[in-house]
Amino acid sequence: MARKRVVSLLLAGLALVAVSAVAVAQASSSGHSRPSVPQPPTNGYQGGSGGAKLATATPIKHLVVIFDENISFDHYFGTYPYATNPSGEPPFHAAPGTPRVNGLSPALLTHNPNTANPARLDRSQAVTCDQNHGYTAEQSAYDHGLMDKFVQDTAGSGCTDKSIVMDYYDGNTVTALWNYAQHYSLNDNSYSETFGPSTPGAINVISGNTFGVICGPASSTINAPTCPTTAPGSTPADPASPQPQGPGTNYSDSDPYYDVCSDTEDGNTAGATTIQMGGKNIGDLLDEAGITWGWFQGGFASPNYVSGKPSTDDLSKVCTGTHDNVAGASATDYSVHHEPFQYYASTANPTHLPPTSIAAIGHQDQANHQYDIKDFFAAADAGNLPAVSYLKAPEYQDGHAGYSDPIDEQTWLVNTINQLESLPSWSSTAVVIAYDDSDGWYDHQAGPVINQSQTSLDTLSGAGQCGANAADVPSGQQGRCGPGMRQPLLVVSPFARRNYVDSALTTQASVVRFVEDNWLGGESIGGGSDDATAGTLDGMFQFRSPSDPRLFLNPSSGEPVSGHGWSSFSRKP
């Protein structure tokens, strides 16, 4: 439903009484001064968008959301912009005037309230164990705002040394991300919409709401019946016909009902262990407006698929592709529960049908806007970049501890952004780098609690409580305690502020809001979605004075490529 946005997250956020007042105050406001939110010089920009001329509220005609996996802000940016720079590792030296972030202070590094101090991980330690990033575990680690139970509550069960959950990388390992922050915009006050793992994060970045579950297992949903026993992916999609919201809320990982790979890859032979979502997502709104869009994911097609040649996609082998990470461990490219549009009948592609042509990518056809990552690069190179694109790397490059790592993630990020910067469409493109959850990695900053919840899964402010005020449960939708943990958020674009740290409060729904404000006249999803009140990304842009020196990085080292990187630059506020 369309409506004016009259409340922002910064004004609507009511601090949870039990959470540290100091932590909430830091999260709710800027950690350093910054200019007021910029406005574009005029409305109604005209320009190409996936082959059509559409009016947008800003000069951005192409939004590319790179949605990576499982990183807390302190895990990657805790000591930004200061790197250790040991011999033999890619160096990082901050430019004069580089702003600091709300990161790991000397006191947090040497006298941390947890049972272990954070320690630096170097490039030789890129591959680590996975941490516990459950909805309840992350709340428990906050310990009523004291932020001192991470070792006990979110350290991974497979980690021999539990203190690793406290540790962090610096610009000698996540070199590319630090260089992107140095040259573009970084937000140090951005959070997952709710606590918990990948599936809730993925659903939130396209809908701003994990409520609406029609059916799902008790292991990942509350207040929902189980799904039919029919095989996942055997029920056809129903484009342009969003189903009504169901009674449940998603809080953990389960595969989507509308995906054959829930069965063939993950062994969910019956739908009873999968999830169906009801309600609208941003894809439904873009479809209604006739705007091109797509979700592009590694391994969605069969391994030998060639984009633009549908006959090369062997549907009996979709989701079977694999790659080795830097440690030589094999990972299946496609992760079923990372593909949020497959949970909705209106936007799913249950059997992974390929697009009928490269020209059709972004438009409605048999693929229903769900594609292999190969299709994105084919469309981009053909001058057919959709208006809105969500990208999910193959598993070995998505950054998720346990099977991926920051080195493989860097290779994916740099190759993707280098290619986008080489295109004519770069002059009207914005890349948002965001994350689905924190993996449970330590972060010292608690956000304000805006969506309260009182279920047996909640522990943030007491047993069965994420706040005690039932009136602050969003639309009566339980199980949405949040915002959750803090994660990195970057904008790479000719319109991004340069060498800038934004501290406006943002969440995953802020990405949805940007799409709505830029292409849809502020229309919002409704049904309790956080999109209408999400903080904006506006502070990370400078629409009145764009600058287009393109930064090309080495995908292995993350350093600027000689002759292609910026040799010097000044911070533009």
Side-chain angles (χ1 to χ4, degrees):
M1 57 185 292
R3 62 181 184 276
K4 290 184 178 179
R5 305 178 189 276
V6 296
V7 184
S8 74
L9 265 178
L10 295 177
L11 298 177
L14 298 176
L16 179 64
V17 173
V19 175
S20 164
V22 173
V24 171
Q26 289 173 340
S28 301
S29 62
S30 173
H32 39 264
S33 61
R34 65 178 189 279
S36 59
V37 172
Q39 297 297 324
T42 61
N43 289 323
Y45 288 90
Q46 302 292 326
S49 182
K53 289 189 174 181
L54 298 170
T56 54
T58 76
I60 303 301
K61 299 298 177 183
H62 307 283
L63 177 69
V64 178
V65 181
I66 299 178
F67 201 51
D68 278 354
E69 291 281 317
N70 294 52
I71 300 298
S72 74
F73 185 87
D74 282 344
H75 188 55
Y76 271 9
F77 286 96
T79 64
Y80 181 83
Y82 304 110
T84 303
N85 293 322
S87 176
E89 296 189 6
F92 180 89
H93 299 284
T98 296
R100 299 183 65 174
V101 298
N102 175 11
L104 295 171
S105 66
L108 287 170
L109 287 167
T110 59
H111 296 87
N112 197 279
N114 283 269
T115 59
N117 287 321
R120 178 183 179 273
L121 299 167
D122 73 12
R123 289 173 67 88
S124 67
Q125 299 166 293
V127 179
T128 68
C129 52
D130 190 19
Q131 310 304 318
N132 182 353
H133 40 296
Y135 178 84
T136 301
E138 290 182 346
Q139 291 185 48
S140 297
Y142 274 37
D143 191 20
H144 304 179
L146 297 176
M147 312 300 286
D148 62 357
K149 292 290 180 66
F150 282 84
V151 176
Q152 297 94 320
D153 290 319
T154 62
S157 60
C159 299
T160 303
D161 179 3
K162 302 299 183 186
S163 69
I164 194 174
V165 73
M166 301 293 298
D167 296 348
Y168 64 91
Y169 296 102
D170 69 9
N172 308 130
T173 299
V174 289
T175 314
L177 282 167
W178 280 37
N179 273 307
Y180 289 135
Q182 178 90 130
H183 292 80
Y184 299 103
S185 290
L186 168 70
N187 184 293
D188 69 350
N189 199 25
S190 190
Y191 301 81
S192 58
E193 210 66 34
T194 66
F195 290 95
S198 293
T199 298
I203 289 174
N204 275 316
V205 83
I206 68 163
S207 72
N209 195 356
T210 51
F211 177 81
V213 174
I214 295 171
C215 57
S219 60
S220 60
T221 67
I222 61 171
N223 301 329
T226 56
C227 291
T229 58
T230 50
S234 62
T235 301
D238 191 10
S241 299
Q243 296 175 291
Q245 286 179 310
T249 302
N250 167 240
Y251 71 87
S252 191
D253 292 338
S254 282
D255 286 351
Y257 179 76
Y258 296 101
D259 195 324
V260 66
C261 297
S262 297
D263 178 358
T264 59
E265 181 182 338
D266 285 355
N268 296 289
T269 56
T273 53
T274 63
I275 295 174
Q276 290 185 47
M277 291 293 300
K280 290 186 176 183
N281 60 56
I282 192 62
D284 295 311
L285 270 59
L286 292 170
D287 270 343
E288 291 168 3
I291 295 168
T292 56
W293 69 279
W295 177 280
F296 302 85
Q297 186 161 339
F300 192 82
S302 58
N304 295 323
Y305 167 64
V306 178
S307 187
K309 298 181 178 180
S311 63
T312 64
D313 195 8
D314 184 345
L315 296 183
S316 70
K317 296 181 180 178
V318 296
C319 314
T320 62
T322 63
H323 282 88
D324 292 347
N325 65 19
V326 291
S330 179
T332 302
D333 291 339
Y334 182 66
S335 180
V336 192
H337 71 274
H338 292 171
E339 220 289 28
F341 290 105
Q342 297 285 82
Y343 292 87
Y344 299 81
S346 58
T347 55
N349 179 358
T351 58
H352 293 222
L353 295 170
T356 52
S357 67
I358 292 175
I361 294 169
H363 300 272
Q364 184 62 51
D365 76 343
Q366 66 180 15
N368 203 18
H369 303 279
Q370 310 309 307
Y371 309 103
D372 192 272
I373 195 64
K374 296 175 184 177
D375 292 322
F376 175 78
F377 295 112
D381 288 344
N384 190 44
L385 195 67
V388 179
S389 302
Y390 288 89
L391 309 189
K392 176 65 74 173
E395 275 199 342
Y396 80 108
Q397 291 181 317
D398 68 14
H400 192 305
Y403 59 75
S404 185
D405 57 90
I407 304 300
D408 281 310
E409 179 191 11
Q410 176 171 274
T411 300
W412 153 258
L413 284 171
V414 170
N415 283 333
T416 300
I417 294 174
N418 281 354
Q419 183 164 351
L420 289 171
E421 287 185 312
S422 71
L423 300 174
S425 54
W426 179 249
S427 62
S428 60
T429 295
V431 176
V432 173
I433 303 171
Y435 289 83
D436 64 343
D437 65 69
S438 72
D439 200 56
W441 292 109
Y442 171 66
D443 193 274
H444 78 278
Q445 182 61 62
V449 175
I450 298 169
N451 291 342
Q452 295 192 19
S453 174
Q454 295 94 37
T455 74
S456 61
L457 300 168
D458 294 302
T459 63
L460 190 66
S461 59
Q465 289 190 338
C466 165
N469 187 356
D472 288 329
V473 175
S475 303
Q477 299 168 359
Q478 297 282 3
R480 296 176 58 194
C481 176
M485 288 191 63
R486 190 172 63 143
Q487 291 136 203
L489 179 73
L490 298 94
V491 169
V492 178
S493 172
F495 296 95
R497 292 181 181 272
R498 305 298 177 213
N499 193 19
Y500 186 75
V501 175
D502 183 40
S503 293
L505 180 63
T506 61
T507 62
Q508 290 156 339
S510 298
V511 174
V512 180
R513 177 169 180 176
F514 183 87
V515 175
E516 294 167 345
D517 288 349
N518 196 49
W519 280 277
L520 301 171
E523 179 182 5
S524 34
I525 290 171
S529 173
D530 289 335
D531 59 344
T533 54
T536 74
L537 305 182
D538 293 351
M540 303 177 78
F541 290 97
Q542 50 177 13
F543 293 119
R544 292 185 180 276
S545 53
S547 179
D548 193 23
R550 307 183 186 201
L551 177 70
F552 293 90
L553 302 179
N554 182 307
S556 297
S557 69
E559 298 172 284
V561 176
S562 177
H564 293 282
W566 294 349
S567 58
S568 64
F569 62 94
S570 60
R571 184 187 179 197
K572 296 182 179 181

